[in-house]
């Protein structure tokens, strides 16, 4: 796929012109997931160092996830009001840095919670908007979607390992310092290096048109079924994210082995995104089929993990992360892109992200705590049930979905 890109707006900085679109987008994903690679595993550690209890930490971490049911659509409508797609990304990077930075200066549950809510919401909202920009350029044969996204996953692993090493000798405040620095770098890179892709060819839509587009998406049966199916399958990772380390420690595995198991899972995910995803497209494996594969793999993975398998069996089960997470994620991005009109792509991807990475996994995270206390590793069986439900809903989707625009133009 070609690397040429004709600037639709005007001149760009010399540094940007010297970089290919793939490198520009890859850098943006690296900065974004280099931040989440620290915030996801180590946020609880930092909050604990500030004196918060386990219950309080759970509330602080779950609040931005649950809030995305409201903040996601509002941010999508706001982002589509700019002339260029990169503008909203730059502002979200600054908002993330400001929110997390304010959390270090605040004290008490409510002030810290409010600042953390702003930072976490801004950083999470940048992911679907960056996906939309990358998909737009991929549709113009400027680049392929999978390499930049794969570099993001690689950055997640590197950031995780690097921060873990730093924390063996450093203060937990390093966690938030890293995240703030990544937010600032993300904002500057978005402003100076991202291609100046317009939000809409005829200029930004008025506010009422953007809200109508959001309303029409939610009334579309196929679109709604797609994001629910994706969201249910992704939400099954909640028990794994929250309690796999505790379960494996109880089995006698060291923290070092747990870190290797997590890194291996993400490594296989990267390989899938970089190499198998292009093969899947060439082979004609559709997005619905990929979603069904992801759901089936989740049923298998969580059912077997509920049995507390020995270490040798954990490695192939961790390899299934490429299907339970990466295949489901890519299927969701593809389905949402096909099932929504071009002028609503930002709203569509944000709704998908808000449901799968926000509301549903937030609810599953809240439920996982009592579930773990009650039944231990058997709590994975509830996640297997969620995955089965996601797979059943996937069967209701069209085998080869087409966007509303494509469908109407073909008649």
């Amino acid at each position: 796929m070609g690397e040429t890109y004709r600037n639709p707006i005007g001149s760009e900085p010399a540094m940007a012109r010297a970089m290919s679109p793939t490198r520009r987008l890859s850098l943006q994903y690296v900065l974004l997931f280099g931040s989440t690679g620290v915030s996801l595993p180590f946020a609880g550690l930092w909050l604990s160092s500030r004196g918060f209890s386990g219950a309080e930490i759970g509330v602080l971490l779950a609040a931005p996830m649950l809030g995305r049911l409201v903040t996601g659509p509002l941010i999508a409508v706001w982002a589509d009001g700019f002339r260029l797609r990169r503008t909203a990304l730059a502002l979200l990077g600054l908002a993330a840095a400001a929110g997390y930075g304010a959390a270090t200066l605040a004290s008490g549950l409510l002030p810290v919670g409010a600042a953390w809510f702003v930072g976490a919401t801004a950083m999470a909202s940048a992911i679907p908007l960056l996906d939309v920009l990358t998909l737009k350029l991929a549709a113009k044969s400027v680049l392929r979607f999978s390499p930049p996204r794969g570099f993001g996953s690689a950055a997640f692993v590197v950031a995780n390992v690097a921060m873990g090493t730093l924390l063996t000798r450093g203060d937990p405040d390093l966690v938030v310092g890293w995240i703030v620095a990544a937010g600032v770098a993300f904002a500057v890179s978005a402003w100076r290096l991202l291609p100046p892709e317009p939000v809409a060819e005829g200029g930004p839509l008025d506010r009422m048109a953007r809200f109508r587009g959001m309303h029409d998406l939610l009334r579309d049966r196929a679109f709604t079924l797609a994001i629910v199916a994706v969201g249910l399958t992704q939400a099954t990772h909640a028990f794994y994210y929250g309690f796999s380390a505790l379960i494996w420690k109880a089995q006698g595995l060291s923290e070092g082995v747990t870190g290797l198991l997590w890194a291996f899972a993400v490594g296989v995910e990267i390989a899938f995104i970089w190499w198998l995803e292009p093969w899947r497209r060439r082979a004609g494996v559709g997005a619905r089929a990929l979603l069904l594969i992801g759901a089936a793999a989740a049923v298998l993975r969580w059912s077997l993990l509920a049995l507390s398998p020995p270490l040798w069996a954990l490695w192939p089960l961790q390899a299934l992360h490429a299907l339970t997470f990466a295949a489901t994620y890519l299927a969701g991005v593809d389905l949402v892109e096909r099932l929504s009109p071009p002028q609503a792509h930002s709203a569509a991807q944000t709704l998908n992200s808000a449901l799968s990475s926000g509301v549903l996994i937030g609810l599953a995270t809240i439920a996982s705590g009592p579930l773990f206390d009650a039944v231990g590793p058997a709590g994975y069986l509830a996640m297997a049930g969620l995955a089965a439900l996601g797979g059943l809903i996937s069967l209701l989707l069209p085998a080869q979905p087409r966007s509303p625009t494509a469908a109407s133009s073909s008649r």
Side-chain angles (χ1 to χ4, degrees), residues 94-104 112 114-120 180:
L94 288 177
Y100 285 120
T104 66
V112 172
W116 191 270
F117 186 94
V118 170
V180 170

Side-chain angles (χ1 to χ4, degrees), residues 67 86 123 234:
R86 68 185 182 188
M123 193 60 77
Q234 291 290 27

Side-chain angles (χ1 to χ4, degrees), residues 239 243 361-373 383:
F239 194 85
F243 299 101
I361 198 168
L363 292 173
T365 299
I366 291 174
S368 292
L371 197 61
F372 174 74
D373 290 338
M383 302 298 107

Side-chain angles (χ1 to χ4, degrees), residues 239-253:
F239 194 85
Y240 164 70
Y241 290 154
F243 299 101
S244 61
L246 292 175
I247 291 170
W248 291 335
K249 185 174 183 179
Q251 289 181 236
L253 303 182

Side-chain angles (χ1 to χ4, degrees), residues 238-297:
F239 194 85
Y240 164 70
Y241 290 154
F243 299 101
S244 61
L246 292 175
I247 291 170
W248 291 335
K249 185 174 183 179
Q251 289 181 236
L253 303 182
S254 69
E255 287 83 353
V257 172
T258 295
L260 289 174
L261 286 167
W262 270 64
F264 176 72
V266 180
V268 178
E269 170 197 329
I270 295 168
F272 179 89
I273 292 174
W274 274 349
W275 294 300
L276 292 182
E277 167 63 4
W279 170 85
R280 189 271 300 182
R281 289 183 176 273
R282 290 194 302 270
V285 178
R288 188 187 73 159
L290 191 63
L291 182 54
L292 284 166
I293 291 171

Side-chain angles (χ1 to χ4, degrees), residues 311-364:
L311 177 59
W312 66 264
L314 292 177
W315 298 104
L317 290 177
Q318 286 297 88
L320 288 176
H321 193 73
L323 299 179
T324 63
F325 176 81
T328 303
Y329 168 80
L330 292 170
V333 168
D334 195 349
L335 281 167
V336 167
E337 184 81 358
R338 292 174 181 271
L339 291 170
S340 59
Q343 68 271 18
H345 281 167
S346 293
Q349 295 293 354
T350 301
L351 283 171
N352 177 43
S353 179
L355 199 63
S356 61
S357 302
V359 177
L360 290 178
I361 198 168
L363 292 173

Side-chain angles (χ1 to χ4, degrees), residues 10-411:
S11 60
E12 295 182 85
M15 183 182 297
R17 293 196 301 271
M19 297 174 67
S20 70
T22 295
R23 290 180 178 177
R24 297 193 221 179
L25 270 297
S26 296
L27 174 61
Q28 210 65 36
Y29 276 104
V30 164
L31 293 171
L32 182 55
F33 286 100
S35 173
T36 59
V38 169
S39 63
L40 184 61
F42 299 114
L45 176 66
W46 181 79
L47 290 169
S48 177
S49 75
R50 298 296 299 271
F52 293 108
S53 67
E56 290 171 331
I57 291 171
V59 171
L60 289 170
L61 296 180
M65 298 179 188
L66 299 176
R68 290 181 69 187
L69 183 63
V70 175
T71 60
L74 290 179
I75 289 174
V77 170
W78 165 79
D80 278 349
F82 293 102
R83 188 167 64 104
L84 302 179
R85 293 192 178 277
R86 68 185 182 188
T87 305
L89 287 166
L91 292 174
L92 286 172
L94 288 177
Y100 285 120
T104 66
L105 304 176
S107 61
L109 182 64
L110 289 179
V112 172
W116 191 270
F117 186 94
V118 170
T121 297
M123 193 60 77
S125 298
I127 296 174
L129 297 181
L130 185 57
D131 284 345
V132 169
L133 174 57
T134 310
L135 287 164
K136 290 293 183 185
L137 297 178
K140 297 179 179 180
S141 298
V142 173
L143 48 74
R144 288 193 294 114
F145 178 81
S146 52
R149 185 56 180 79
F151 275 109
S153 295
F156 183 97
V157 176
V158 172
N160 190 313
V161 173
M163 181 53 63
T165 302
L166 289 172
L167 288 174
T168 59
R169 299 183 180 181
D171 189 90
D173 283 339
L174 287 170
V175 172
V176 177
W178 178 299
I179 299 170
V180 170
V184 172
F186 180 89
V188 173
S189 177
W191 172 49
R192 301 298 292 170
L193 297 180
L194 280 182
E197 184 69 17
V199 170
E201 297 301 330
L205 298 172
D206 66 80
R207 186 179 290 108
M208 290 307 299
R210 283 176 269 147
F211 274 108
R212 282 196 301 273
M214 183 77 68
H215 179 259
D216 291 342
L217 283 173
L218 293 174
R219 291 181 60 191
D220 185 277
R221 179 178 180 272
F223 174 82
T224 304
L225 287 174
I227 63 172
V228 169
V230 171
L232 286 172
T233 305
Q234 291 290 27
T236 65
H237 293 83
F239 194 85
Y240 164 70
Y241 290 154
F243 299 101
S244 61
L246 292 175
I247 291 170
W248 291 335
K249 185 174 183 179
Q251 289 181 236
L253 303 182
S254 69
E255 287 83 353
V257 172
T258 295
L260 289 174
L261 286 167
W262 270 64
F264 176 72
V266 180
V268 178
E269 170 197 329
I270 295 168
F272 179 89
I273 292 174
W274 274 349
W275 294 300
L276 292 182
E277 167 63 4
W279 170 85
R280 189 271 300 182
R281 289 183 176 273
R282 290 194 302 270
V285 178
R288 188 187 73 159
L290 191 63
L291 182 54
L292 284 166
I293 291 171
V299 172
L300 176 63
R301 184 185 186 189
W302 309 134
S303 297
L304 293 179
L305 282 176
L307 303 177
S308 298
L311 177 59
W312 66 264
L314 292 177
W315 298 104
L317 290 177
Q318 286 297 88
L320 288 176
H321 193 73
L323 299 179
T324 63
F325 176 81
T328 303
Y329 168 80
L330 292 170
V333 168
D334 195 349
L335 281 167
V336 167
E337 184 81 358
R338 292 174 181 271
L339 291 170
S340 59
Q343 68 271 18
H345 281 167
S346 293
Q349 295 293 354
T350 301
L351 283 171
N352 177 43
S353 179
L355 199 63
S356 61
S357 302
V359 177
L360 290 178
I361 198 168
L363 292 173
T365 299
I366 291 174
S368 292
L371 197 61
F372 174 74
D373 290 338
V375 297
Y380 276 119
L381 292 176
M383 302 298 107
L386 274 184
L389 180 58
L392 290 173
I393 294 175
S394 302
L395 293 172
L396 302 176
L397 296 171
Q400 294 294 334
R402 296 181 297 173
S403 71
T405 300
S408 62
S409 63
S410 65
R411 285 195 288 265

